[in-house]
Amino acid sequence: SDGSIRLHQMTSEYPLMQWNESTKGQPIIALQWALTRPAVFFALDASSNIYIWDLLENDLLPVAKQTIPSEKVVTMTLLGEPEKANGLLGIVLAKESGQIDIQYVKKKWAIP
């Protein structure tokens, strides 16, 4: 609810890493690991900002932020084929009106 993200290992109750206020205090409403690249995850905040984290490139801050200005995004999920090395990764955004939008991610964050 405060924009903090914690990375846990299944065998410990303490986080391996923690990023406080990663969204400048906005609640995170969806977070998902990339299906095609294990070190990348995406977070959606309550203000319709998508944050892309690539832990191999920078483990302190997101490597990119994209605002969806047209309408409030209520949730997101990722699509891709992890068994294929084509690097195709998409973000499915569900908007408040019920509209679904699919955007494809740059190859540098999608290729295994």
Side-chain angles (χ1 to χ4, degrees):
S1 65
D2 65 359
S4 297
I5 298 173
R6 292 171 198 85
L7 176 64
H8 283 268
Q9 184 175 359
M10 296 296 289
T11 58
S12 175
E13 66 182 279
Y14 302 104
L16 294 172
M17 298 207 53
Q18 180 168 328
W19 301 275
N20 293 322
E21 296 186 21
S22 61
T23 59
K24 295 183 176 55
Q26 286 295 316
I28 296 172
I29 56 175
L31 189 140
Q32 188 171 350
W33 286 101
L35 302 171
T36 57
R37 188 175 171 97
V40 174
F41 66 90
F42 298 79
L44 171 67
D45 74 14
S47 295
S48 299
N49 296 303
I50 298 171
Y51 300 85
I52 302 172
W53 293 76
D54 184 344
L55 300 179
L56 296 178
E57 186 177 328
N58 187 341
D59 64 358
L60 299 176
L61 300 168
V63 294
K65 175 185 169 184
Q66 178 68 45
T67 301
I68 310 299
S70 60
E71 186 180 345
K72 184 175 180 177
V73 178
V74 294
T75 193
M76 74 168 185
T77 192
L78 300 178
L79 58 89
E81 297 177 291
E83 64 278 354
K84 293 186 179 178
N86 64 3
L88 186 63
L89 180 66
I91 302 176
V92 181
L93 304 170
K95 298 184 177 181
E96 200 168 47
S97 67
Q99 180 183 2
I100 302 294
D101 188 18
I102 299 174
Q103 298 185 7
Y104 289 96
V105 176
K106 288 182 180 181
K107 293 264 187 202
K108 69 179 182 176
W109 297 312
I111 293 176

